Amino acid sequence: MRKAMVAAVMAVAVAGVVWGQGAADKTEWVKENVAKVGAAEVPVKRVVLFSSGVGFFEHEGVAEGNLATPMRFETAQINDVLKSLVVYDRDGGIVRNVTYAANDPVNKTLKSFQVDLSGNPPLADIVNQIRGAQVGLVLGDETVEGTVLGVESKDRVVGKGDAEKTVTTWTVNVITAAGIRAVALEDVRKLDVKDEKIKTEMNKALATLAQARDQSKKVMTVNFEGVGKRRVGMGYLVETPVWKTSYRLMLPDATSKDMAKLQGWAIVENQTDNDWTDVELSLVGGRPLGFIELLYQPLYNPRPVMTSDIAVLVKPQMYGGGGGDADKDAVDLSGNVRPPSFNLSDITQGRTTKSESSSNNSLFSTGGSGDSSDTGWPGRTMKDYSQGVASVAQTNKIGEMFHYNVEKVTLPRQQSSMIPIITEMVEFDRVSIYNVDVLAGHPLYGVRLKNKSEKYLLGGPITVLDTVKEGTSYAGDARIEDIPPGQTRLLSYAVDQEMAAAVVKNNDELELIGAAVGKGMLKLSYRHREVKEYSLENKGAREKEVVVESPMIKDYVLKEPAKYSEKTETMYRFQVPVKAKSFGVLRVVQENVTLAEQGLLRMDVDTMQAYMKEGAISGKVKEVLRAVSDRRATIADMEVKYKRKQTERSRLLEEQGNIRENLRVLPKGSQSEADAVADLKAHDTDLKKVTKEMRELQDATEKAKAEYQKFVEEVVVE
């Protein structure tokens, strides 16, 4: 996908003149264009503006002999130019190189000259830097010529009393024919440097300072070399203002079945330093990926200073991209015979491209007096704002992007322009659009716009003009998203005060609809229902189609109405006809079924009893619940009996203890002792019986619990 998009972008960007029509065609083209090219400039011939905020600019011209072509750019644009520049010199010439000013800090550049002018040095420092140079020092009527030996400073006291102070004076020592002479710099009226190399270096440094004052502009020069007249050109990508679209939608009378007129304007800005004169302008939709690489900024790799070992630097790595498809054929939609601009494949492989043409099938009138007979709309007396406006753009789709192609566009630098690119008759439906979250009491006037043309309508503002008895009237403003060919969009532009609307019911209902048993769980099915009822009152004199937007609930299923007219990611749209002076009602029901589980082993008996009374639960599930409840009751009864036996055993043990205490104090061999012994034996017999019964109850309870758990885990009822 990305390879295809890149190929499409470059095809749009550099599609144009195809060479190879033959020697005669080439000669004629050179004759026609050589007069249009200045001595050192190659003019702009093609501009491709992308809706992503970049533009491709193509220059074409004829060079005779060697040619140095300067181009001025904003400093911020240089990175894009260095990344995207393509250049050609056909017919035997070569592109020698492209030169431009370095982007090093000015002080760093100044330090590279023989005379360092960085930091605004005083004259003494400058003279000291040219030691050994031949100079001429003019002192009034006297001229001292010689070689600069050096500069020295001396402190001198000036003034008297409170005004006394010490100043530093500078003296230049010059070797003359008569010997060494000290000349005070403050007495020098003119310093003439005799060394031409030093003078040249100082002039270069001063030129660097002058250029640094205008950091916003940089000059790049393309140097062509060759003999005779040759076709030359270049292209580059830079950041540009995003081109925009603005529409006018002219609606016929509400009782008419005629189509509407859609007029689209492209808003284009020339923010470059080049005038566009008869350029071919392409306006491309789509958003190719782009980035800025800091190629203009010098990069310095800090290196360690070593005393004996040699530092080995890692070489910079280059990572190649994957293979790409061949560029698609460039397309010329103008229908005119003209030399198209160079294609990237011509530069790299010498291939040529083919042109295809298509006609402009605009249905708009391009002239006329403006009466009803010229409009094509029977019975209309309105002013037709479309007359005399015709689309000047041809359209085409390249790869995943579309473009509008306009020939012979003239736009001076730093100027903007509106260009008609769409003049179409479009199908539409008048509707009123109601969304309670937008306006609770009224719908909005709107239309359903159908793009049955082959043109891609880029998103933008629409001014709606409607037909009334007096003619054309402003109806409101709207905005649309992109509308590809074959798709429709709703747009609203005013409040429909003839319609009243409201949400009269908004309920959220929860209902148990069934149950199942499995794996020890009671699985309950609940139905969630959201019910909305919309009331629509048409107070107008004609029937209206109302598009009601109702929120779509995630994971819910639409039950009423059976169908919707449209669906977005968040909304259902229902079209409801409402007759004049009448009411309409829309009921929207969305349902969702959810499951809830409860463990049967931990469920209390009261909860089971409540579920057994629910009418939505089947008889088989109720039988399982009843069986579970009965088994739970049986186990509970056995546990109660066990506790009673446990209490009885404790009582017997306590009584045994009392009898043993009595035996200790009773007389030996007495009847009382004999009775106590007999009583102790009887309690012992009862204790053994109770213990046995407890053991049996415990075993029975454990068995019942095991059977109960097995039953709960294995029973399945759907």
Side-chain angles (χ1 to χ4, degrees):
M1 181 71 179
R2 184 173 181 180
K3 298 175 184 175
M5 183 167 69
V6 172
V9 171
M10 295 311 297
V12 171
V14 298
V17 178
V18 180
W19 307 111
Q21 295 104 329
D25 292 343
K26 166 195 162 184
T27 303
E28 290 300 320
W29 190 89
V30 170
K31 287 180 179 179
E32 292 176 1
N33 286 272
V34 69
K36 302 177 183 178
V37 183
E41 292 187 355
V42 179
V44 177
K45 289 295 186 181
R46 179 174 169 82
V47 177
V48 184
L49 300 180
F50 294 85
S51 57
S52 58
V54 294
F56 190 88
F57 296 83
E58 180 184 337
H59 298 243
E60 291 178 352
V62 175
E64 185 171 6
N66 298 339
L67 177 66
T69 302
M71 297 182 294
R72 292 177 64 84
F73 298 103
E74 298 285 343
T75 302
Q77 295 176 326
I78 299 296
N79 287 308
D80 282 331
V81 176
L82 293 175
K83 179 165 64 74
S84 62
L85 180 66
V86 287
V87 187
Y88 67 83
D89 187 332
R90 294 193 174 94
D91 309 316
I94 63 172
V95 179
R96 174 58 61 187
N97 57 19
V98 179
T99 59
Y100 55 94
N103 196 35
D104 263 334
V106 63
N107 282 343
K108 184 177 180 66
T109 304
L110 291 174
K111 290 180 182 295
S112 66
F113 296 108
Q114 289 189 26
V115 179
D116 183 3
L117 299 183
S118 63
N120 191 22
L123 180 60
D125 288 350
I126 295 175
V127 174
N128 196 47
Q129 290 185 63
I130 61 174
R131 294 172 60 195
Q134 294 291 320
V135 297
L137 304 175
V138 178
L139 311 172
D141 296 334
E142 181 186 8
T143 300
V144 178
E145 294 186 350
T147 303
V148 176
L149 178 62
V151 179
E152 60 181 334
S153 62
K154 295 181 179 179
D155 292 335
R156 186 177 62 184
V157 178
V158 296
K160 295 182 179 179
D162 295 338
E164 181 180 315
K165 61 181 179 179
T166 302
V167 297
T168 300
T169 61
W170 296 91
T171 302
V172 56
N173 298 317
V174 182
I175 301 177
T176 66
I180 298 176
R181 181 171 174 178
V183 179
L185 277 179
E186 61 184 12
D187 296 333
V188 176
R189 298 292 175 264
K190 178 181 178 181
L191 172 63
D192 182 16
V193 180
K194 306 293 185 180
D195 192 321
E196 292 298 327
K197 290 184 178 180
I198 294 178
K199 291 171 68 174
T200 300
E201 285 284 291
M202 293 183 67
N203 287 332
K204 288 181 179 180
L206 292 172
T208 299
L209 283 170
Q211 187 179 17
R213 284 196 295 268
D214 185 9
Q215 290 293 334
S216 63
K217 301 291 183 182
K218 297 293 182 181
V219 177
M220 296 187 72
T221 303
V222 181
N223 298 292
F224 301 98
E225 289 187 6
V227 179
K229 296 177 180 179
R230 307 178 317 282
R231 296 162 294 180
V232 297
M234 63 208 73
Y236 49 84
L237 192 79
V238 294
E239 184 179 48
T240 57
V242 176
W243 71 276
K244 302 172 284 290
T245 50
S246 176
Y247 298 93
R248 320 290 180 264
L249 180 63
M250 287 160 266
L251 302 177
D253 185 84
T255 61
S256 171
K257 295 186 180 298
D258 292 329
M259 292 191 291
K261 294 183 179 181
L262 181 66
Q263 190 180 95
W265 296 79
I267 299 174
V268 178
E269 296 157 303
N270 179 7
Q271 298 292 346
T272 70
D273 285 331
N274 297 313
D275 293 331
W276 298 351
T277 304
D278 290 340
V279 303
E280 179 184 344
L281 176 64
S282 290
L283 306 174
V284 183
R287 292 171 175 80
L289 298 179
F291 59 88
I292 296 175
E293 181 83 12
L294 297 180
L295 300 175
Y296 190 41
Q297 182 67 38
L299 301 178
Y300 297 94
N301 188 17
R303 296 171 295 165
V305 177
M306 310 298 290
T307 55
S308 57
D309 295 337
I310 298 177
V312 179
L313 298 179
V314 178
K315 293 182 179 180
Q317 302 298 301
M318 296 184 63
Y319 301 93
D325 297 335
D327 292 341
K328 301 295 183 183
D329 291 345
V331 179
D332 175 18
L333 301 174
S334 65
N336 299 325
V337 178
R338 63 173 180 80
S341 59
F342 73 91
N343 189 285
L344 185 62
S345 59
D346 300 335
I347 303 170
T348 58
Q349 301 182 21
R351 296 197 301 268
T352 60
T353 57
K354 299 179 181 179
S355 297
E356 297 177 359
S357 65
S358 64
S359 62
N360 179 14
N361 297 320
S362 170
L363 299 178
F364 267 52
S365 168
T366 58
S369 61
D371 58 26
S372 60
S373 62
D374 292 332
T375 64
W377 292 4
R380 290 187 58 190
T381 59
M382 62 175 284
K383 295 179 181 178
D384 191 344
Y385 292 112
S386 66
Q387 290 189 344
V389 179
S391 172
V392 296
Q394 308 295 325
T395 60
N396 193 43
K397 189 171 186 291
I398 297 181
E400 296 300 321
M401 294 179 287
F402 67 95
H403 76 155
Y404 296 93
N405 194 64
V406 185
E407 293 186 354
K408 295 187 179 302
V409 174
T410 297
L411 185 60
R413 71 190 73 181
Q414 305 302 321
Q415 295 289 314
S416 301
S417 178
M418 289 178 62
I419 302 173
I421 58 174
I422 295 171
T423 49
E424 297 286 333
M425 302 296 291
V426 293
E427 294 185 15
F428 78 103
D429 296 323
R430 287 183 183 266
V431 294
S432 295
I433 306 169
Y434 180 64
N435 186 319
V436 66
D437 293 327
V438 175
L439 186 62
H442 298 277
L444 302 179
Y445 279 122
V447 297
R448 180 182 284 108
L449 201 61
K450 304 174 184 179
N451 183 12
K452 292 192 175 182
S453 70
E454 296 182 356
K455 297 182 178 180
Y456 193 108
L457 303 182
L458 195 70
I462 295 182
T463 296
V464 181
L465 303 173
D466 206 349
T467 302
V468 295
K469 293 181 180 180
E470 295 78 12
T472 299
S473 173
Y474 168 72
D477 289 335
R479 285 190 60 86
I480 60 168
E481 298 177 344
D482 295 359
I483 310 180
Q487 295 190 15
T488 63
R489 290 290 187 276
L490 284 175
L491 61 92
S492 58
Y493 56 87
V495 177
D496 185 354
Q497 295 182 321
E498 293 182 340
M499 288 287 303
V503 178
V504 295
K505 185 176 182 180
N506 188 6
N507 295 341
D508 190 1
E509 303 170 356
L510 179 63
E511 179 185 4
L512 178 64
I513 60 174
V517 176
K519 295 183 179 180
M521 306 298 291
L522 176 62
K523 303 176 182 180
L524 303 168
S525 299
Y526 290 94
R527 177 167 56 207
H528 298 257
R529 302 176 79 241
E530 187 187 77
V531 181
K532 286 183 181 291
E533 286 189 3
Y534 298 87
S535 174
L536 308 169
E537 181 183 3
N538 183 2
K539 302 177 182 179
R542 64 181 180 86
E543 182 176 341
K544 294 190 177 184
E545 295 288 336
V546 182
V547 175
V548 178
E549 290 190 326
S550 190
M552 180 190 304
I553 306 176
K554 186 178 180 181
D555 300 327
Y556 277 59
V557 177
L558 180 66
K559 291 297 183 179
E560 290 185 49
K563 295 182 179 179
Y564 51 83
S565 59
E566 293 176 344
K567 182 174 73 170
T568 69
E569 292 183 357
T570 59
M571 292 284 180
Y572 287 112
R573 289 179 181 150
F574 306 97
Q575 191 149 327
V576 183
V578 184
K579 294 182 179 180
K581 308 296 182 180
S582 182
F583 287 87
V585 176
L586 173 66
R587 176 181 166 88
V588 180
V589 179
Q590 299 180 68
E591 291 185 356
N592 180 33
V593 176
T594 59
L595 297 177
E597 294 184 345
Q598 293 190 27
L600 289 173
L601 291 175
R602 296 185 178 182
M603 187 182 300
D604 60 81
V605 177
D606 291 339
T607 302
M608 290 185 189
Q609 294 293 332
Y611 282 132
M612 283 188 283
K613 295 177 182 179
E614 287 286 346
I617 297 180
S618 67
K620 291 183 178 180
V621 174
K622 289 181 179 179
E623 289 178 4
V624 172
L625 292 177
R626 189 173 293 108
V628 171
S629 178
D630 292 344
R631 290 170 183 260
R632 286 281 296 274
T634 300
I635 293 172
D637 184 59
M638 295 172 71
E639 289 176 340
V640 170
K641 290 180 179 179
Y642 181 83
K643 289 182 178 179
R644 290 175 181 171
K645 292 296 180 181
Q646 198 174 36
T647 302
E648 184 180 355
R649 183 174 181 277
S650 298
R651 179 182 59 80
L652 291 173
L653 288 173
E654 183 179 358
E655 289 178 355
Q656 269 190 337
N658 292 334
I659 294 171
R660 287 191 175 91
E661 288 295 328
N662 290 335
L663 284 174
R664 292 177 183 174
V665 298
L666 290 174
K668 298 295 185 180
S670 65
Q671 185 61 40
S672 298
E673 182 185 27
D675 292 339
V677 170
D679 195 15
L680 184 61
K681 289 180 179 180
H683 276 77
D684 187 56
T685 301
D686 292 340
L687 186 59
K688 290 179 179 179
K689 179 181 178 182
V690 170
T691 302
K692 178 182 178 183
E693 290 174 349
M694 287 179 62
R695 190 181 303 112
E696 291 173 350
L697 277 172
Q698 188 176 19
D699 293 342
T701 302
E702 294 297 329
K703 181 180 179 181
K705 285 183 178 180
E707 292 175 349
Y708 165 69
Q709 183 168 353
K710 181 179 180 182
F711 172 78
V712 168
E713 292 176 350
E714 294 180 355
V715 65
V716 176
V717 177
E718 298 294 339

